[in-house]
Amino acid sequence: MSPDARILTRLRRAGDAGVAVSDLGSLVPDDATGLTARIGALRQLGYDIASTAHGGYVLRSGPDRLHADDLISRLPDRRRIGRSIQVFQETSSTNDVVERLARDGVEEGAVVLAESQTRGRGRMGRRWESPSGCGLWFSVLLRPRIPLTAATQLTVMAAVAAARAIGQASGLEPEIKWPNDLHLRGRKCGGILLELGAESDQIHHVILGMGIDVNLSASEIPTQLRSIATSLSLESGRRIDRPALAARLLEELDLAYHDVLEGRFGTIVDEWERRCTTLGRWVSIRVGPREIHGLAEALDEQGALLLRTEHGRLERIIGGEVSLLSAGPSS
Ligand code: BTN
């Protein structure tokens, strides 16, 4: 951990009581001068660190910016996800950066966030708008020892983790639209893009990319998407603390991923089913050139959607573009 991450960790833990200089001094390589320099640098970054009456320091607030040291200081108990964190002011796509980390053999749990992306991508080769400073655009490197056929479990666990974190940070109750969309009042506020490196049925690595429209104003949502997209601030009527949400998200992802690896995917499915707007609905799913209509009945143990087709057959769908239909086939 860097000295700044250690200082922020200690200040956060102490809360309003603050921390004595003597306790903080031991966290930096270079005595009290080093500490003064680090506190000055953190203030420059926008951290409101006040001096206490007893000659210590107290953290009053932080900036609406993502900083790796700050995120690390908020995640003291992480198991895997968040072991290393990098923040870019701008990059092409955080999935591309994590792809390079994967090829370099970096261990799982590495997280890359960007304030903005110039070539953010969504599913089906779509562009993902990633304006600066108002969303969460990030990717996580995973190396799960699960069969390729179970990879959909990771999308499901990520959607549940994101819904939990958004709920806690904003008081909103996001719904999940299978397989990977997060919705608020019927409009999309986030999505997940899973990219896999695999050989035959063996997963080498997974890049879990997530985009959340946090504080986008109506004008920051592209005109053609305004009827189907929204942001957390538009729905809650207030600005959301992005660094706090980012930390919650990483924490929830870490917990849910641990559950998947420990064989507790079933508990995640239960929650997913409660939050999912797709189940029990008549849907049309485009899978490549095929368009399948049916009733979305359940999720199986691998995370695939079980669809009862209009002909009564049960189809297992592992990916596709879902549209909710207002009614089933007329009898
Ligand atoms: C979708 O709903 O189509 C998935 C969107 C995923 C967007 C995120 S933003 C961070 C990461 N980097 C990308 O280029 N895409 C994902």
Side-chain angles (χ1 to χ4, degrees), residues 214-227:
V214 184
N215 288 326
L216 276 75
S217 62
S219 62
E220 280 163 323
I221 296 176
T223 325
Q224 70 279 14
L225 298 180
R226 282 192 199 150
S227 60

Side-chain angles (χ1 to χ4, degrees), residues 136 138 157-174 182 210 212 232 238 240-241 244-253 271 275:
L136 286 180
F138 69 95
M157 79 86 190
V160 168
R164 286 177 185 163
I166 291 171
Q168 289 158 22
S170 68
L172 298 163
E173 274 307 322
L182 291 153
M210 195 180 284
I212 311 281
L232 308 193
R238 67 182 173 92
I240 304 297
D241 183 337
L245 175 61
R248 273 256 42 96
L249 255 163
L250 296 177
E251 202 170 345
E252 291 294 346
L253 277 172
E271 184 170 343
R275 293 183 181 271

Side-chain angles (χ1 to χ4, degrees), residues 100-119:
R100 288 195 286 276
L101 297 181
R103 272 194 260 120
D104 290 348
V106 167
E107 68 173 345
E108 72 167 350
V111 176
V112 173
L113 305 99
E115 287 287 10
S116 75
Q117 300 182 116
T118 52
R119 283 203 304 277

Side-chain angles (χ1 to χ4, degrees), residues 83-152:
R83 269 182 188 151
S84 76
I85 298 182
Q86 291 180 68
V87 178
F88 288 79
Q89 282 315 300
E90 182 175 281
T91 188
S92 55
S93 155
T94 54
N95 270 36
D96 292 342
V97 180
V98 170
E99 166 86 60
R100 288 195 286 276
L101 297 181
R103 272 194 260 120
D104 290 348
V106 167
E107 68 173 345
E108 72 167 350
V111 176
V112 173
L113 305 99
E115 287 287 10
S116 75
Q117 300 182 116
T118 52
R119 283 203 304 277
R121 58 179 178 272
R123 291 173 67 240
M124 316 275 172
R126 294 195 187 108
R127 184 180 159 77
W128 183 265
E129 296 298 334
S130 323
S132 181
C134 51
L136 286 180
W137 329 122
F138 69 95
S139 307
V140 183
L141 173 61
L142 303 175
R143 297 185 185 277
R145 291 208 182 86
I146 57 173
L148 185 54
T149 49
T152 313

